[in-house]
Amino acid sequence: MSFPPAVLEGVLERITYANEDNGYTVARIAPLKRKDRGHDGDLLTVVGSLLGAQPGESLRMEGRWGSHPQYGRQFTVENYTTVLPATVQGIRRYLGSGLIKGIGPRIAERIVDHFGTDTLDVIEADPKRLIEVPGLGPKRTDKIAAAWEEQKAIKEVMVFLQGVGVSTSVAVRIYKKYGDASISVVRNQPYRLAAEVWGIGFLTADRIAQSVGIPHDSPERVKAGLQYALSQSTDQGHCYLPEEQLIADAVKLLQVDTGLVIDCLGELAGEEEGVVREQVPDPQAAADPAGARTISAVYLVPFHRAEISLAAQLLRLLRAPEDRIPAFADVDWERALAWLAQRTGADLAPEQRDAVKLALTERVAVLTGGPGCGKSFTVRSVVELARAKKAKVVLAAPTGRAAKRLAELTGAEASTVHRLLELKPGGDAAYDRDRPLDADLVVVDEASMLDLLLANKLIKAVPPGAHLLLVGDVDQLPSVGAGEVLRDLLADGGPVPAVRLTRIFRQAQQSGVVTNAHRINSGVPPITQGMPDFFLFAEEDTEEAGRLTVDVAARRIPAKFGLDPRRDVQVLAPMHRGPAGAGTLNGLLQQAVTPARPELPEKRFGGRVFRVGDKVTQIRNNYEKGANGVFNGTVGVVTGINLDDQRLTVLTDEDEEVPYDFDELDELAHAYAVTIHRSQGSEYPAVVIPVTTGAWMMLQRNLLYTAVTRAKRLVVLVGSRKALGQAVRTVSAGRRGTALAYRLRGAVGGA
C-alpha cells in the first residue's frame, strides 16, 4: 500500500540511531500539531536521511506516513528544512544540544534566562551582547559567534549534500577543507573530493557527480575511477597494479567501454600528478632468474617516486665511502665480545655474534627471527658496543608501544619514526637528505611494519656513513600500508646483508606462547592442552564464540590471572565484520568493561558511544593533530569529555594528551578488540583470539602467527578446531605488487 505525501512539523527531541556512512537516521520528534502526536509521551518516530539535523531544532519534514510491524506508526522523511525554534524551552533545548561549540546545556540555560525569546536574534545580529550573560567573558563570546557562523555555513553545505546521502561528518570535513567554496567544488569538481577529503571515496564522489549532471562516460570520471582503483590497491598493500588488471578493474567499476579506459589511462600517464607506467619483472615468474618476463606496472606517482628513491637511498648508504663508527673496522672481536658478556651477564650465540658484527661493520643490515630467538638481546648488545665507542645511537619503532619496549630494553631514549623525523602537516619531514639526523647508528625495531612511504622518509634522513640496523620478524603480516619493505630487503640476490636468528633459547622453550608460535609458523597445529599459558576454548558456533570471547577477556582472565581487562588484555580478531569480528566485539566489551554511568558524560557519534575510560585507536594518519601528528594505529584511553567545548581528550600510548573535537570522532574507533592487522608492533600481556569459520577467507598462517606473537604471557584461542586447522595450513599465496627488490639488485638507478 502506498501512502500519500505529507508534511510533519516538530522539534527533534533525540536521535536514537544514525548511520554515519549514508545519513540514515531514526529519531524521535515532538510534533507541533495535535493530530500528529504519538501515544507515548506525544513523541513520534521518524526515519530517513536527517543529515545534519540536531536535537532541539524545529524541522519541517516532507515524506509519508507508514506503519512498521515492530515499531508501529512512523514517518519516513524524504527531505526537510530547519526552522529556528520560537519558544524559550525550544531555544534552550536547541542551544544546549551541542550544536554550537562553546555552548553546553548549562551555558545555554544562562543565555536563554538572560535574553529569552530574543536569544537567537542576539547571537545572529549582535553576538557581542553575550558578554552581558553572567560568567561569559569576551573570549567565549567571540568563540560562540564564530561557531554560530560556521555552523550556518556547514548547514548550507549539508542541505546541498542531503540529496546525495553524504554523512554529517563528511559534510563537515568538506566545509573544513573548502570553506565558502564547498558548494562550488561539490557542484563543479566533485571528483576532487575523492582525492582531497578523507572519508570520501570514489563511490561517494561518483554519486555526487551523477546528481550534479556529470556524464557517465566523462573522461574526468574515468580518470578519477582509474586513480581510485589504484588507490584501493595501495590500501591492499600493492605499490602498483599490472596494467591489464587495472583496466579490467576500472571497466568493472565504471561500466564503460574498455577503449575509453585505455585512452584515459594514456592521458593520465602524461599528467604530472597522474600515473606512471613502467616495465618490471613479472612477480608470477619468480622461477625466471634472468627476469626476462616483464609486465607493464601502473603506479600512482607518489608510490613510484618513493620506490625509486628508497632503492637509491639504500644503495647510497651501502656504498658510502665514509664510516661514522670506524672503530669496529679492525676491532679485536674476541676482546670486545668478552667485555660485552661481562657487562650483560650472558654470552652471545654464534648467530647473534654474526648479527652484532654485521650491524657494526656494514652500513645497512637486517636482523630477523621469530620469538624467543634472542633478537632483543642482540639489539641490546649492538647498542652497548656502539655506546662504548661513543657513537651517537638513535632508536625508533613504527608504534608508540614498540618504541617504549625498545627504550626499556636498551635503557636509552626511543621514539616513533614519525616523531623522530618530526613529520609536519602535509606529511613532509623536518629531517631528510638535506638535513639528516645527527646519528652514527640508527636502529629501527618492528621493521616488518615499515611501509614504502614511511621507509623512504626514514632512509632519506640517515646520514651517509651512519649504520642502519632494521630489526623485525619477516614471517609476520606485512605493513598495513603499501609495500613489503623488510621482505624485499631480504630477497635473494639483494645487496643488503642480513642475519636470521633460528635457535630458540632454552628459557623461551618453556613458554607455550613461543613454542606454539614456532609450530604455527612451520605449519604444525599448536598444542592447546597441558600448557599453563596457551589455551583453546572450543566453540563451533560463530555467534557463541563471539560471546565467549567477551566473557574470557572481560571476566575469566582478570579473575584467574589478576590482569586488568582494559590495560592488559587485548582481543585480536581476524576481521572487522561478523558476530566474532572486532566491530561487534567492541560493542560487547565496552558494555562489560566501561558500562554507562549516570554521573559521567558520554558522547554518541553515529553508531558508537564514547565514554571516559574507553580504549580507543586512531584510524587515519592525521598530521595536524598532536605535537607531530597522530597516526593510524595509535592507541589511547579517553580521559575527558567536555560537552560545553564539544571536545574529547585521549591520552595516547606515547603519553601525549590529544584533543578531538566532536566532529572529528570518526577518526577514532574503540580498541577493546582490534583486527590482527592493526595489532602489529604492539605487545600485550594477554591476547584473546576468536578463530571461527565465519572468518574463513582471512584464516592464514601469518595472520595467526602475528596474533600469537603479540602476547607476552598468555594466549587464549576461542572458536573451532576446524577454523584453527585452516589457519595453520593456509599459506598466503598473494605477494604484493612491489618492484623494490628488483630495483635494489641495481637494475634501475634513481635520484
Side-chain angles (χ1 to χ4, degrees):
M1 174 185 174
S2 96
F3 291 89
V7 172
L8 171 64
E9 292 181 348
V11 176
L12 177 56
E13 285 295 321
R14 66 177 179 271
I15 291 172
T16 53
Y17 170 79
N19 183 323
E20 279 300 309
D21 295 328
N22 59 20
Y24 179 80
T25 305
V26 179
R28 302 285 276 163
I29 294 280
L32 297 184
K33 293 178 183 165
R34 187 174 296 278
K35 69 177 178 64
D36 294 329
R37 291 181 182 169
H39 302 296
D40 56 338
D42 287 340
L43 293 187
L44 189 77
T45 299
V46 300
V47 298
S49 180
L50 286 173
L51 190 68
Q54 298 284 345
E57 284 184 320
S58 296
L59 307 180
R60 185 178 190 279
M61 295 158 284
E62 295 172 5
R64 294 168 195 274
W65 288 102
S67 185
H68 188 280
Q70 192 176 344
Y71 303 113
R73 185 171 181 245
Q74 60 184 35
F75 188 82
T76 300
V77 182
E78 286 161 8
N79 57 65
Y80 79 93
T81 52
T82 55
V83 186
L84 291 177
T87 65
V88 165
Q89 189 185 355
I91 293 169
R92 187 182 290 124
R93 178 93 176 81
Y94 176 64
L95 282 184
S97 67
L99 177 73
I100 311 298
K101 201 172 292 180
I103 303 183
R106 285 167 308 154
I107 288 174
E109 188 124 355
R110 271 190 253 154
I111 295 172
V112 178
D113 283 351
H114 189 82
F115 293 113
T117 52
D118 295 334
T119 297
L120 299 181
D121 293 333
V122 169
I123 298 175
E124 172 73 44
D126 194 6
K128 285 195 168 37
R129 282 191 61 200
L130 288 170
I131 206 157
E132 297 171 20
V133 178
L136 282 195
K139 247 186 182 171
R140 193 178 280 271
T141 56
D142 288 349
K143 193 173 164 187
I144 290 170
W148 176 267
E149 286 305 314
E150 184 178 75
Q151 90 55 48
K152 268 185 9 192
I154 289 173
K155 182 73 74 179
E156 198 184 334
V157 174
M158 283 180 173
V159 169
F160 178 74
L161 290 174
Q162 191 180 342
V164 285
V166 177
S167 75
T168 312
S169 55
V170 169
V172 169
R173 262 190 258 115
I174 290 173
Y175 180 78
K176 280 190 170 177
K177 176 80 180 169
Y178 303 113
D180 293 342
S182 298
I183 290 176
S184 167
V185 170
V186 168
R187 188 176 277 134
N188 302 313
Q189 300 167 287
Y191 291 107
R192 274 180 67 185
L193 302 176
E196 295 173 0
V197 181
W198 180 75
I200 296 192
F202 171 80
L203 300 177
T204 302
D206 199 36
R207 201 165 66 231
I208 295 170
Q210 279 182 322
S211 73
V212 297
I214 289 178
H216 186 72
D217 59 356
S218 135
E220 184 194 357
R221 176 176 185 263
V222 176
K223 287 181 194 176
L226 281 160
Q227 287 179 307
Y228 169 72
L230 279 174
S231 157
Q232 286 288 94
S233 76
T234 65
D235 288 347
Q236 251 102 67
H238 300 293
C239 301
Y240 67 77
L241 271 185
E243 186 171 343
E244 282 181 21
Q245 188 185 334
L246 173 61
I247 291 167
D249 288 355
V251 167
K252 189 175 171 186
L253 170 74
L254 299 163
Q255 299 290 301
V256 294
D257 291 344
T258 305
L260 177 60
V261 171
I262 292 169
D263 290 346
C264 288
L265 180 58
E267 283 178 37
L268 258 184
E271 292 174 11
E272 196 176 326
E273 291 304 319
V275 300
V276 176
R277 286 190 287 200
E278 186 187 346
Q279 293 296 123
V280 302
D282 183 350
Q284 304 305 321
D288 173 17
R293 263 175 57 187
T294 63
I295 56 165
S296 174
V298 186
Y299 289 81
L300 288 170
V301 170
F303 293 91
H304 187 257
R305 283 186 188 142
E307 198 174 82
I308 286 180
S309 165
L310 177 55
Q313 302 296 343
L314 281 164
L315 294 170
R316 174 179 68 91
L317 290 178
L318 281 162
R319 295 164 182 167
E322 65 265 52
D323 188 347
R324 293 183 61 140
I325 327 179
F328 292 101
D330 51 8
V331 76
D332 179 338
W333 281 106
E334 288 309 312
R335 260 184 73 191
L337 293 171
W339 173 86
L340 182 68
Q342 212 172 7
R343 188 160 170 89
T344 60
D347 280 317
L348 290 167
E351 54 188 17
Q352 290 178 307
R353 287 175 163 228
D354 292 344
V356 168
K357 289 177 187 175
L358 202 66
L360 294 169
T361 55
E362 296 283 355
R363 307 296 185 278
V364 182
V366 173
L367 171 62
T368 189
C373 294
K375 284 199 304 294
S376 296
F377 187 65
T378 307
V379 169
R380 185 183 155 198
S381 302
V382 170
V383 171
E384 290 276 4
L385 283 169
R387 279 219 207 100
K389 296 295 184 185
K390 304 286 186 282
K392 286 179 186 158
V393 180
V394 168
L395 305 170
T399 66
R401 286 189 177 206
K404 267 186 185 169
R405 207 166 59 236
L406 187 58
E408 286 161 11
L409 166 72
T410 57
E413 197 181 321
S415 69
T416 62
V417 176
H418 302 97
R419 212 173 269 270
L420 173 69
L421 299 177
E422 289 179 19
L423 290 183
K424 295 179 284 199
D428 290 330
Y431 292 94
D432 56 20
R433 190 169 175 176
D434 299 326
R435 186 197 173 199
L437 296 162
D438 182 17
D440 303 320
L441 169 66
V442 178
V443 179
V444 183
D445 200 8
E446 293 288 354
S448 62
M449 290 186 70
L450 286 177
D451 62 38
L452 174 67
L453 298 182
L454 186 59
N456 179 44
K457 287 186 172 84
L458 171 66
I459 308 300
K460 267 185 191 172
V462 178
H467 291 228
L468 172 67
L469 175 63
L470 297 170
V471 184
D473 185 346
V474 76
D475 294 321
Q476 285 181 31
L477 290 167
S479 55
V480 174
E484 39 189 3
V485 174
L486 190 64
R487 184 163 290 164
D488 284 342
L489 296 188
L490 289 165
D492 291 344
V496 179
V499 169
R500 181 169 193 140
L501 303 179
T502 53
R503 178 187 152 196
I504 307 171
F505 285 87
R506 193 180 308 135
Q507 73 198 69
Q509 287 173 5
Q510 291 156 15
S511 156
V513 175
V514 171
T515 301
N516 280 333
H518 286 278
R519 285 174 70 91
I520 289 164
N521 200 30
S522 52
V524 181
I527 300 162
T528 57
Q529 284 172 320
M531 291 271 185
D533 59 353
F534 200 103
F535 302 90
L536 168 67
F537 284 75
E539 176 52 68
E540 292 301 316
D541 181 76
T542 299
E543 212 157 309
E544 276 305 314
R547 281 196 280 271
L548 183 53
T549 298
V550 172
D551 192 46
V552 166
R555 283 176 279 275
R556 296 194 194 194
I557 289 177
K560 185 172 170 60
F561 295 95
L563 295 173
D564 182 288
R566 188 187 290 110
R567 189 184 60 242
D568 302 327
V569 183
Q570 184 62 56
V571 173
L572 301 180
M575 56 199 285
H576 184 76
R577 293 202 173 106
T584 301
L585 294 179
N586 262 318
L588 296 171
L589 284 160
Q590 185 193 33
Q591 284 170 29
V593 177
T594 317
R597 285 164 54 192
E599 73 276 16
L600 286 179
E602 56 179 45
K603 172 61 184 169
R604 179 176 288 280
F605 186 89
R608 296 196 287 271
V609 178
F610 290 98
R611 299 184 182 126
V612 171
D614 268 342
K615 188 171 173 181
V616 292
T617 180
Q618 172 82 9
I619 57 172
R620 68 170 286 223
N621 287 345
N622 186 335
Y623 297 98
E624 317 281 337
K625 293 202 86 60
N628 293 111
V630 180
F631 297 90
N632 190 351
T634 299
V635 174
V637 173
V638 177
T639 53
I641 296 174
N642 186 319
L643 297 176
D644 281 356
D645 290 338
Q646 292 175 60
R647 186 164 288 164
L648 174 150
T649 308
V650 173
L651 180 66
T652 72
D653 54 10
E654 292 176 61
D655 298 322
E656 182 180 10
E657 286 227 315
V658 180
Y660 287 79
D661 290 343
F662 283 173
D663 60 21
E664 297 176 312
L665 293 183
D666 52 351
E667 297 190 13
L668 285 178
H670 289 103
Y672 300 98
V674 297
T675 61
I676 296 166
H677 279 87
R678 296 190 69 82
S679 73
Q680 289 168 261
S682 292
E683 220 179 45
Y684 316 95
V687 302
V688 184
I689 310 163
V691 184
T692 66
T693 50
W696 198 254
M697 297 299 289
M698 295 295 292
L699 295 176
Q700 293 175 348
R701 187 181 300 169
N702 62 352
L703 191 84
L704 183 60
Y705 173 72
T706 299
V708 168
T709 55
R710 299 308 86 217
K712 278 193 280 196
R713 287 171 50 190
L714 174 69
V715 170
V716 181
L717 305 176
V718 180
S720 91
R721 293 182 191 280
K722 185 179 173 188
L724 179 59
Q726 160 81 358
V728 172
R729 280 192 308 273
T730 308
V731 178
S732 171
R735 285 297 303 270
R736 293 180 165 191
T738 152
L740 179 61
Y742 155 69
R743 296 182 199 285
L744 280 172
R745 287 195 293 268
V748 176

